[in-house]
Amino acid sequence: MKVTAIYGSPRKDGNTDRLLKRFVEGVRDEGVEVVEFFLRDMNIAPCREIYGCKRNGRCVIDDDFHVIADEMSKSDAIVVATPVFFYAVSAHTKAFIDRCQSLWVKKYWINKVPFGKGETGKPGVLISVGATRGKKLFDGILLTMRYFFDCLDAKLWAALLYRGLDGKDDILNHPEYLDEAYAKGRELARVVREGKGAA
Ligand SMILES: Cc1cc2nc3c(=O)[nH]c(=O)nc-3n(C[C@H](O)[C@H](O)[C@H](O)COP(=O)(O)O)c2cc1C
């Protein structure tokens, strides 16, 4: 049993980093392995839209994307943490997500899975943070993540969304958010262990 954790912020040890780290601790404390990826430290080019992936569903750009894609395919759950940047995911996260178009091509064009099928599957978790407090702050990201998880045969199982956090250490003023992330990590591990991800 394994969980893939993807850190999407350019800022080291910022709010989403700290939340995901607590989440990961929760997963590990339940005895489930976690493989972590820090997108800011990886070489992942944006999608070039050349559709080299049409041949066999593998992206033809040779970079670190494949390290994560291979790991995700062996994982029982995927967790992504991203700050809100202009009501969207960070550029690091978006570049990574766009490269997953190759997996979308594999699923829907090569394997011909009917649209709307295959969404059940492994649990996907979103952790996100924004500075402001608007009602629609996470709408764009939630939509993106639903379709991102779909192409991985995952579904949005939980979203931990926190408003009003801007400075790098702001999250430290909210130990209750970090506690919630830790508890959710433990819960995810139990779900993965019991194979209830598709519930
Ligand atoms: C390029 C950029 C765009 C941002 N856009 C938004 C935004 O649209 N809405 C918002 O509430 N906060 C926005 N923020 C603030 C970040 O979401 C906020 O600082 C967050 O806590 C950063 O998380 P991190 O510490 O994990 O990187 C933006 C920050 C940057 C640097």
Side-chain angles (χ1 to χ4, degrees), residues 8-18 81-88 128-134 137 162-170:
S9 175
R11 184 155 72 175
K12 187 172 184 288
D13 297 331
N15 299 310
T16 52
D17 263 30
R18 284 195 164 107
T82 176
V84 178
F85 281 1
F86 286 91
Y87 291 85
S128 191
V129 159
T132 56
R133 297 182 179 278
L137 183 58
Y162 301 106
R163 293 171 167 81
L165 302 175
D166 199 12
K168 182 169 174 263
D169 298 324
D170 281 2

Side-chain angles (χ1 to χ4, degrees), residues 82-85 87-95 97 126 140-141 144-145:
T82 176
V84 178
F85 281 1
Y87 291 85
V89 297
S90 70
H92 292 75
T93 309
K94 189 60 164 61
I97 288 175
L126 165 68
I141 292 181
T144 300
M145 295 310 291

